[in-house]
Amino acid sequence: MSISDAPSESRSVVIFHPFDAIAGSQRVAVDLARALQASGYSTDVRLGFGTDGFISRWQYVKRFLPLNNIIARKCLYPLWLLAVIPRNLSAVMRGELVWANTVHAAPAAILAIFLAPQRVVIQIHEIEFPRIFLYFIKFARRRGVTLLCVSEFQRVELGLDAQILPNCASVSVVKNEVWSDPTIVFTGNTSPEKGFSLFIEVAKCLSDTQLNPVAFLPSPQRCDAKLLAEAESAGITARFGVTDPAEMYENGYVSLLCTDPDQCTETFSLVAVESISCLVPVVSAGTKVAREILAGSLAIDVPTRDPNLISDEIRKLLSNTERYAHLVEACQSRRQEYTFERFKERIKCLMSQLATGSDFDFQ
């Protein structure tokens, strides 16, 4: 019996993740570790670089280098790939499962991909990345590696033979029936890809309504100072470093998903799922995956970048209390797909099927 065919008796998983940040794939890495531990597996989280993201808050993480500078991290990325080879070999010999979280973590599992592909999982969160990584993960799939995408949209766009493992939102709140300060919420950063400029324009158009625009952003140092000044002039309240969805959406009436599809492709949108988990309907400005992820809880989908059209649709919603109540009910129903308990069930199903070598289905 070869190493790759040998059944794994170890209840241990090593998770490789290259770069820490305050972003969806990093939050999911922590949810993954929590789900595995809750299912009786020990986890060894091997982080490449970073100190100020979600993974660094995980008490069991082992970091290669405490670097946050993006250019430095990219330059040293190949060194990290070499540094994890001994851990790869150890995982193969011990019969551990190797889990590469994000496409950039896939090369970190290269030894296990060659020696024990049936015990390797590559979880892909991205669509835009250098094509050499796509060739690599397709090669890994031919070797027998399990590939996971976060949405059917992503799987089709990449053309991968992959299973779908949706992300989860570790929050669930009761909706306030009466708002003291109803808000329209933006969550992200000030980059052109995330569409902060569009949010500013929509806020200007809605300045005569009862909605108060609030933007949850990273530290001021990581934001465009000119856009922050423009946002302040538009009456937008900027809040920095807040990561608790329950606080972010506490007074939310709707949240606005502004990602520019011409510059960045959302494969899942964890912020949208966190919004509906807090019973705040989502307005999309053409995000292609929104309908798949949100289903009936998607309040509005305007397939243009016209702030006037978006604000007009929000005005219509403000005047239709019955429709809004139905949307909140839809959020309450849809969020059940993305609870941590549901995520944990899917992980347990995957681990069980990997152990027996049989097919699996998360649905």
Side-chain angles (χ1 to χ4, degrees):
M1 182 179 288
S2 68
I3 291 177
S4 61
D5 293 331
S8 173
E9 297 179 358
S10 172
R11 293 185 64 82
S12 179
V13 182
V14 55
I15 301 172
F16 292 115
H17 190 101
F19 310 114
D20 203 5
I22 302 295
S25 62
Q26 285 77 16
R27 187 191 286 273
V28 172
V30 177
D31 290 331
L32 171 63
R34 289 175 55 222
L36 287 166
Q37 288 201 350
S39 301
Y41 292 87
S42 63
T43 58
D44 180 8
V45 181
R46 295 296 177 118
L47 172 65
F49 307 90
T51 62
D52 58 356
F54 288 120
I55 299 177
S56 293
R57 300 175 185 179
W58 179 249
Q59 57 183 323
Y60 306 106
V61 66
K62 296 176 182 176
R63 184 183 296 104
F64 176 57
L65 286 175
L67 290 176
N68 293 310
N69 181 275
I70 293 176
I71 295 176
R73 298 194 314 189
K74 288 182 177 180
C75 290
L76 293 173
Y77 168 71
L79 184 61
W80 175 65
L81 296 181
L82 292 173
V84 296
I85 286 178
R87 187 63 185 90
N88 253 276
L89 184 58
S90 172
V92 170
M93 301 310 295
R94 294 176 183 176
E96 297 173 311
L97 182 76
V98 175
W99 194 299
N101 186 55
T102 78
V103 69
H104 300 99
I110 189 165
L111 263 187
I113 289 171
F114 275 103
L115 298 176
Q118 303 301 328
R119 287 191 265 114
V120 178
V121 176
I122 299 176
Q123 187 173 4
I124 306 161
H125 299 265
E126 312 87 346
I127 280 184
E128 284 116 2
F129 50 80
R131 292 299 95 175
I132 188 172
F133 287 99
L134 184 59
Y135 300 140
F136 183 86
I137 59 177
K138 286 185 175 181
F139 161 76
R141 181 68 189 99
R142 291 193 297 270
R143 291 283 304 162
V145 166
T146 296
L147 297 184
L148 301 177
C149 287
V150 294
S151 64
E152 176 65 12
F153 166 75
Q154 180 199 23
R155 188 196 69 78
V156 170
E157 288 291 304
L158 291 175
L160 293 176
D161 176 18
Q163 296 292 323
I164 310 302
L165 176 62
N167 298 334
C168 70
S170 301
V171 62
S172 183
V173 302
V174 176
K175 183 74 171 181
N176 292 328
E177 294 186 359
V178 179
W179 295 278
S180 59
D181 188 25
T183 61
I184 177 171
V185 181
F186 173 90
T187 303
N189 55 52
T190 59
S191 68
E193 293 85 358
K194 292 300 181 181
F196 186 59
S197 295
L198 177 60
F199 181 70
I200 293 174
E201 294 306 312
V202 171
K204 291 177 181 177
C205 293
L206 294 172
S207 60
D208 60 338
T209 71
Q210 69 267 41
L211 293 181
N212 296 296
V214 179
F216 292 91
L217 303 166
S219 65
Q221 294 76 18
R222 295 186 178 184
C223 296
D224 185 307
K226 183 178 179 181
L227 284 177
L228 287 180
E230 187 177 347
E232 184 178 4
S233 297
I236 296 171
T237 300
R239 298 188 60 188
F240 302 100
V242 180
T243 59
D244 181 3
E247 180 179 353
M248 294 157 66
Y249 298 102
E250 181 178 8
N251 293 310
Y253 179 79
V254 293
S255 63
L256 184 53
L257 189 58
C258 295
T259 304
D260 187 343
D262 291 332
Q263 300 191 52
C264 178
T265 304
E266 295 278 3
T267 58
F268 183 81
S269 185
L270 188 58
V271 296
V273 168
E274 288 175 340
S275 180
I276 67 167
S277 294
C278 295
L279 301 182
V280 177
V282 175
V283 176
S284 168
T287 299
K288 293 179 180 179
V289 78
R291 290 193 179 275
E292 175 189 343
I293 299 301
L294 301 174
S297 63
L298 177 60
I300 299 165
D301 186 18
V302 180
T304 76
R305 309 294 291 173
D306 188 335
N308 292 300
L309 289 178
I310 296 170
S311 58
D312 285 347
E313 291 298 320
I314 294 173
R315 287 177 188 278
K316 292 177 185 177
L317 185 59
L318 283 167
S319 64
N320 192 337
T321 56
E322 183 177 355
R323 178 168 177 259
Y324 186 79
H326 286 316
L327 283 169
V328 172
E329 290 177 2
C331 290
Q332 192 159 11
S333 174
R334 188 61 178 172
R335 72 179 179 179
Q336 301 308 314
E337 281 294 307
Y338 307 114
T339 64
F340 177 73
E341 287 302 315
R342 187 78 175 95
F343 183 74
K344 187 171 67 174
E345 289 174 6
R346 287 168 167 146
I347 294 298
K348 288 174 70 175
C349 173
L350 170 61
M351 298 300 287
S352 174
Q353 300 305 322
L354 284 173
T356 60
S358 56
D359 294 334
F360 53 90
D361 185 356
F362 292 123
Q363 302 306 315

